[in-house]
């Protein structure tokens, strides 16, 4: 009986063909990728529309994950692999813990669940209700957003409340862009499947989706941990302005260094500006690049 790493294929949430790193044992194929230079693996599971985690392995009898219900599994697995590759190839980081930890994802969580989250140990994705969301693993920027929450937990540890919480959200969105830089939108591939041209958030125009893009419009609220998904618009806009002025290649190095070296659990927006400027100085000195970062944060009212 053959056992070991295999290559299968499947169709993602949007019906797109994807090659998959699978594992074969006892005539069953698993979404279980052993090919990365990590001590762990990339594994994808299903909660089978329930809420107990981690659920059972996503399997297939012939290594062809082609049924409609397998789209969420296919994309969670494939995009987890691309996000792993991004952090390893671009920043030399080996998984979210920088020690090759297994990246575990569970899809088909709950019923018509319009959300996704990192629960401290793994990724969890709902299928959406087909109106607000398609299965959420169908968006590479969402998968990158979630895995970045895990990275943040192991680095800056930004407390999920008020300004540090909004920074946490913003860093997750910004790395969602760095991984999927085709637009400055977040979640557009799975958000409102029956409506085109919209998204969950925009880095370039936070205001288009009800987020502030300047400190003057900071939203003081007790809900959503102090509006973490609203006030993230302010650092998101600063990131957009930074990327537009110095380019993605420099920006992602600055953001990764700030996240992994300088930010702390209680960093607020002003501390983020300082962390990013310190990272910029470390990497590129205090010339035009430095001035561009400073200007971006001044333009959103953070000094
Ligand atoms: O921003 C988020 N979590 O903090 C979202 C909400 C919908 C997408 C999946 C998870 C992004
Ligand atoms: Ca996007
Ligand atoms: Zn988030």
């Amino acid at each position: 009986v053959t056992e070991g790493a295999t290559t299968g294929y499947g169709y993602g949430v949007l019906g797109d063909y994807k090659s998959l790193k699978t594992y074969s044992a006892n005539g069953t194929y698993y979404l279980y990728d052993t090919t990365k230079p990590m001590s762990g693996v990339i594994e994808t599971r299903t909660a089978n529309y329930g809420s107990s985690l981690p659920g059972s392995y996503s399997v297939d009898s012939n290594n062809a994950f082609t049924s409609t219900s397998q789209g969420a599994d296919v994309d969670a697995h494939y995009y987890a692999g691309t996000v792993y590759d991004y952090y390893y190839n671009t920043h030399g980081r080996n998984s979210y813990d920088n020690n090759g930890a297994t990246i575990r994802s569970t899809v088909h969580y709950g019923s018509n669940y319009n959300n996704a989250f990192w629960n401290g140990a793994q990724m969890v994705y709902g299928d959406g209700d087909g109106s607000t969301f398609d299965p959420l693993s169908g968006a590479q920027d969402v998968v990158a957003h979630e895995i970045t929450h895990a990275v943040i937990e192991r680095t800056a540890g930004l407390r999920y409340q008020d300004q540090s919480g909004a920074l946490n959200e913003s860093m997750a969105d910004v790395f969602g862009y760095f991984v999927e830089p085709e637009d400055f939108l977040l979640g557009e591939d799975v958000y409102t499947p029956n409506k085109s041209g919209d998204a969950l958030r925009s880095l370039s125009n936070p205001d288009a989706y009800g987020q502030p893009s300047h400190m003057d419009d900071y939203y003081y609220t007790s809900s959503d941990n102090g509006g973490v998904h609203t006030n993230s618009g302010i650092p998101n806009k600063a990131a957009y302005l930074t990327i537009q002025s110095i380019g993605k290649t420099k920006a992602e190095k600055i953001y990764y260094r700030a996240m992994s070296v300088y930010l702390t659990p209680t960093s607020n927006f002003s501390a983020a500006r300082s962390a990013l400027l310190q990272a910029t100085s470390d990497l590129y000195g205090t010339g035009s690049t430095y001035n561009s970062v400073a200007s971006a944060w001044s333009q959103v009212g953070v000094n």
Side-chain angles (χ1 to χ4, degrees):
V1 176
T2 65
E3 167 155 355
T6 44
T7 300
Y9 72 95
Y11 301 126
V13 168
L14 304 181
D16 53 317
Y17 172 92
K18 288 187 169 92
S19 179
L20 298 167
K21 301 286 184 54
T22 57
Y23 193 88
S24 157
N26 299 322
T28 297
Y29 296 89
Y30 297 76
L31 290 185
Y32 190 87
D33 179 355
T34 60
T35 68
K36 305 295 188 189
M38 57 204 293
S39 44
V41 299
I42 294 177
E43 64 169 48
T44 301
R45 295 165 174 255
T46 173
N48 212 19
Y49 315 105
S51 57
S52 60
L53 296 172
S56 48
Y57 280 114
S58 296
V59 296
D60 191 78
S61 59
N62 66 347
N63 214 6
F65 294 73
T66 56
S67 76
T68 313
S69 65
Q70 289 175 310
D73 312 56
V74 165
D75 280 343
H77 194 62
Y78 184 87
Y79 289 139
T82 65
V83 175
Y84 172 87
D85 291 343
Y86 170 79
Y87 274 104
Y88 189 78
N89 298 333
T90 312
H91 304 295
R93 187 180 189 86
N94 193 339
S95 195
Y96 59 86
D97 68 342
N98 200 21
N99 196 28
T102 285
I103 298 179
R104 173 179 289 168
S105 305
T106 299
V107 297
H108 304 305
Y109 177 83
S111 172
N112 294 331
Y113 186 60
N114 286 317
N115 213 338
F117 56 93
W118 168 261
N119 74 353
Q122 64 162 101
M123 248 96 60
V124 185
Y125 298 95
D127 285 322
D129 60 10
S131 173
T132 301
F133 280 111
D134 259 341
L136 282 95
S137 58
Q140 186 179 24
D141 55 9
V142 167
V143 174
H145 177 107
E146 292 314 324
I147 294 176
T148 298
H149 275 313
V151 173
I152 292 166
E153 208 174 73
R154 302 306 188 99
T155 53
L158 289 160
R159 217 175 124 250
Y160 207 62
Q161 182 69 35
D162 303 326
Q163 287 194 20
S164 56
L167 275 178
N168 191 317
E169 271 304 307
S170 174
M171 295 301 270
D173 283 353
V174 171
F175 278 89
Y177 167 79
F178 288 145
V179 172
E180 188 190 47
E182 64 202 31
D183 56 47
F184 286 102
L185 300 172
L186 188 98
E188 70 284 350
D189 290 342
V190 294
Y191 189 60
T192 58
N194 308 313
K195 188 160 56 162
S196 64
D198 66 346
L200 195 61
R201 296 191 278 271
S202 165
L203 292 177
S204 57
N205 185 8
D207 308 73
Y209 298 104
Q211 292 187 290
S213 53
H214 193 282
M215 273 313 282
D216 290 349
D217 301 314
Y218 190 92
Y219 178 53
Y220 293 94
T221 177
S222 57
S223 58
D224 189 29
N225 297 95
V228 299
H229 290 98
T230 301
N231 294 309
S232 55
I234 296 164
N236 280 2
K237 179 75 179 211
Y240 166 73
L241 294 169
T242 299
I243 292 160
Q244 289 299 87
S245 55
I246 68 173
K248 174 177 185 284
T249 304
K250 283 184 174 176
E252 65 194 339
K253 298 251 186 316
I254 290 165
Y255 270 78
Y256 182 75
R257 184 167 178 79
M259 174 168 68
S260 58
V261 175
Y262 295 117
L263 289 173
T264 72
T266 57
S267 294
N268 61 15
F269 289 0
S270 178
R273 174 197 169 109
S274 301
L276 289 159
L277 286 173
Q278 185 59 57
T280 304
S281 171
D282 297 345
L283 295 166
Y284 305 111
T286 54
S288 64
T289 305
Y290 185 94
N291 294 336
S292 294
V293 176
S295 165
W297 286 84
S298 297
Q299 288 177 67
V300 301
V302 176
N303 294 296

